[in-house]
Amino acid sequence: TKLENLSLQLSNQTDYIESLEKKIAVLDREMIRLKKDVVAEVRKKNAPVVIPAPTPEPPTPTHNIVLGEVEKVTIDTIKQAFDARVDTGAATSSLNAIDIEEFERNGNNWVRFHLSDGDTPPTEDNWIEAPVIRYVKIRQSTNEDVERRAVVELWVELGKIHEKAQFTLADRSQMSHPVLLGREFMRDIAVVDVSKKYIQTPPSKSKK
């Protein structure tokens, strides 16, 4: 499990670094364009060259959102709420996916599945479809078998939080909650108070 968490965390960090590098490249191109526009305008007016300062980065979130050990999470695509275990010990998030079917759409790998909470029956109306972001290899603790699992990205809502998060499709049927939210979801967004539950969930939604 530790190896799995380290592998997933390293993969997520690599993705995060790549996204930052892309943002830097976009900013570099924008700065070059701005400089050219300013120089051209100055030449017309024969005025001193003035290069605007780059836009400052937005302030780092202050972690003013507190989550309980268990919260209700709504999956945007099916508008259905599920109990989610908030676990700072897990690096990544996962879903209890059943009836998993992989297919190809526009040349890309996609997957469709039902998110099972053990109560709501799977129907044609609550299929979740999403492109596969990547695959991860999981080694079972009970044997040497290696299982390949798909990772998808979904919009989720949790109280004041409305974010796109990556989830590993896993068999969580033996777990008490169908959704697991790991550290990557909470990073720079919230802190956890494990002594409480449903802090960000309206009372009407936290009752079952």
Side-chain angles (χ1 to χ4, degrees):
T1 300
K2 290 182 180 179
L3 288 174
E4 172 190 349
N5 289 339
L6 288 173
S7 176
L8 292 176
Q9 186 175 6
L10 180 60
S11 176
N12 289 331
Q13 288 176 345
T14 301
D15 293 343
Y16 182 64
I17 292 173
E18 290 178 355
S19 68
L20 289 178
E21 290 174 345
K22 291 179 181 179
K23 291 179 180 179
I24 291 173
V26 172
L27 287 174
D28 286 341
R29 290 195 295 269
E30 184 67 15
M31 285 296 298
I32 293 173
R33 186 186 65 79
L34 288 173
K35 288 180 181 179
K36 290 181 179 180
D37 292 345
V38 171
V39 171
E41 187 67 22
V42 167
R43 286 177 177 173
K44 290 181 181 179
K45 298 181 178 180
N46 195 25
V49 176
V50 178
I51 300 176
T55 304
E57 290 291 327
T60 302
T62 57
H63 296 85
N64 59 348
I65 297 178
V66 180
L67 303 179
E69 183 184 24
V70 178
E71 295 286 355
K72 281 285 186 181
V73 171
T74 299
I75 307 297
D76 278 19
T77 53
I78 57 176
K79 299 300 181 184
Q80 186 176 340
F82 299 86
D83 273 343
R85 170 73 182 275
V86 183
D87 188 358
T88 57
T92 57
S93 304
S94 62
L95 301 175
N96 182 29
I98 62 173
D99 306 328
I100 300 175
E101 299 177 4
E102 296 191 30
F103 62 97
E104 186 174 303
R105 177 176 292 173
N106 298 326
N108 299 315
N109 292 326
W110 279 62
V111 65
R112 68 196 307 246
F113 60 93
H114 285 115
L115 177 51
S116 174
D117 58 3
D119 295 323
T120 305
T123 67
E124 288 298 321
D125 296 326
N126 56 16
W127 280 106
I128 298 176
E129 292 187 353
V132 177
I133 303 300
R134 65 180 182 278
Y135 291 93
V136 294
K137 292 182 178 180
I138 307 298
R139 186 179 298 278
Q140 302 296 326
S141 59
T142 56
N143 51 53
E144 294 299 318
D145 294 339
V146 176
E147 181 181 354
R148 190 180 76 156
R149 297 177 182 173
V151 178
V152 299
E153 202 169 48
L154 301 173
W155 279 98
V156 297
E157 184 175 356
L158 195 172
K160 299 177 181 178
I161 302 173
H162 191 210
E163 295 284 338
K164 184 180 286 188
Q166 292 188 4
F167 294 92
T168 302
L169 303 186
D171 180 3
R172 292 184 52 82
S173 58
Q174 303 302 318
M175 304 298 179
S176 56
H177 304 93
V179 180
L180 174 73
L181 296 178
R183 293 192 303 272
E184 289 298 320
F185 176 80
M186 294 170 279
R187 186 175 59 185
D188 298 333
I189 295 179
V191 293
V192 181
D193 184 349
V194 296
S195 66
K196 298 179 181 179
K197 296 182 179 181
Y198 303 110
I199 296 176
Q200 296 296 326
T201 305
S204 60
K205 288 187 178 182
S206 63
K207 297 178 181 179
K208 295 191 68 176

